[in-house]
Structure formats: C-alpha cells, structure tokens
Amino acid sequence: MASTFYNEILTEHNIHPFHKHKMEGANFVLEGVNPSCGDDIVLSLKVDDTDKIVDGAYVGDGCAISQASADMMLDLVIGRTKEEALKLKDIFLRMIKGEITDEEKRQLEEASVLEDVSHMPARVKCAVLGWHTLEEMFDEDKAE
C-alpha cells in the first residue's frame, strides 16, 4: 500500500510536474548538479522584500527521484519565507537520515513519501539535490 502510494506520487510529479518550466524574473537562480549520476537542476525563485518565496520553478534532467523531489519541494516552499523554507529543508534532510518525528514528517506533506529513499543509499543524493540547491542559494545570499 505505502509503496503504491509512493509510486503514484512520484510518477505524478514526473509526468505532470507543476513547477518544471523556465521562469522569467527570478531574483534567485542556482544550478545544482549531482556529479555521481549527472542529475542536474536549475532552481529559480522569486523572493519578495519580506523574504517570502512568491514563485518558483526548475528546469533540468535527471532521474525520477531528483525531478519529483524538486517539484514537491517547490510545492512546499512557495508562499513561505526563506527561513520557513530552510526549516523544511532541515526536516527533509533529517527525514532522509531517519531522524524526524511524526509531526515533522507531516509538515513535509507529499515530500514525506521520499522517506523510503533513506533505505537506498545510491538514491539519497538524487532526493536531496533540489533541497541542497535551495540551501546553497540562500547561503550565497547571506554571504553577499
């Protein structure tokens, strides 16, 4: 049952990704690459003056897990502040390590189906590519 649910969500985000398109007017753009397998995304975000993520998109190529994870991540972070997005990123990365509570898992909504990736070490980097790109994007912003 859980495996079927996982496959349905993953397939839906791959066949009909809502956020996979070029976006004009982004004020944050960063490419993320997984050198071990070649997965590649360019993450674009529009962040307003209050640090709220008002829109987001990605383009790229890669496996089903990397692309679906990026799409689910954008579902979660659009409409939230950078700080809230980074908290969700922390929860997601801890989920992949098997270190979250049920309450934290609920906060990840559909992205929580990727919890099973923690049992597939070769796929972990695929699942976290978008999330690490988001983190790096905002870390670079702090450095400027």
Side-chain angles (χ1 to χ4, degrees):
M1 169 72 180
S3 178
T4 302
F5 185 62
Y6 164 84
N7 288 331
E8 286 175 9
I9 291 173
L10 200 65
T11 300
E12 183 61 26
H13 279 277
N14 275 296
I15 295 173
H16 305 290
F18 187 75
H19 301 288
K20 189 172 186 175
H21 56 85
K22 266 194 174 289
M23 184 175 74
E24 299 299 320
N27 51 351
F28 286 86
V29 178
L30 187 65
E31 181 176 23
V33 178
N34 179 354
S36 62
C37 68
D39 288 351
D40 175 69
I41 67 163
V42 176
L43 182 62
S44 301
L45 298 176
K46 287 182 187 174
V47 179
D48 71 13
D49 294 340
T50 66
D51 274 350
K52 183 177 178 181
I53 301 166
V54 294
D55 199 4
Y58 73 100
V59 292
D61 296 300
C63 70
I65 292 172
S66 72
Q67 302 299 292
S69 182
D71 203 55
M72 288 185 250
M73 176 191 74
L74 286 167
D75 277 348
L76 271 176
V77 302
I78 292 171
R80 298 179 191 262
T81 64
K82 290 187 334 186
E83 182 179 336
E84 291 168 329
L86 289 170
K87 284 182 183 174
L88 289 167
K89 181 266 315 170
D90 288 338
I91 293 170
F92 185 86
L93 296 180
R94 286 189 296 108
M95 176 188 73
I96 296 297
K97 295 176 185 175
E99 301 171 353
I100 64 167
T101 65
D102 287 341
E103 173 55 35
E104 288 174 317
K105 186 176 173 180
R106 281 190 288 278
Q107 291 177 50
L108 293 175
E109 300 173 12
E110 278 188 337
S112 68
V113 301
L114 292 171
E115 181 177 31
D116 287 343
V117 170
S118 63
H119 306 296
M120 301 176 264
R123 306 317 297 267
V124 167
K125 288 182 180 177
C126 305
V128 300
L129 178 61
W131 298 88
H132 279 307
T133 305
L134 175 83
E135 176 182 40
E136 192 177 326
M137 176 185 282
F138 290 153
D139 282 349
E140 285 182 4
D141 183 50
K142 286 180 192 171
E144 292 177 3

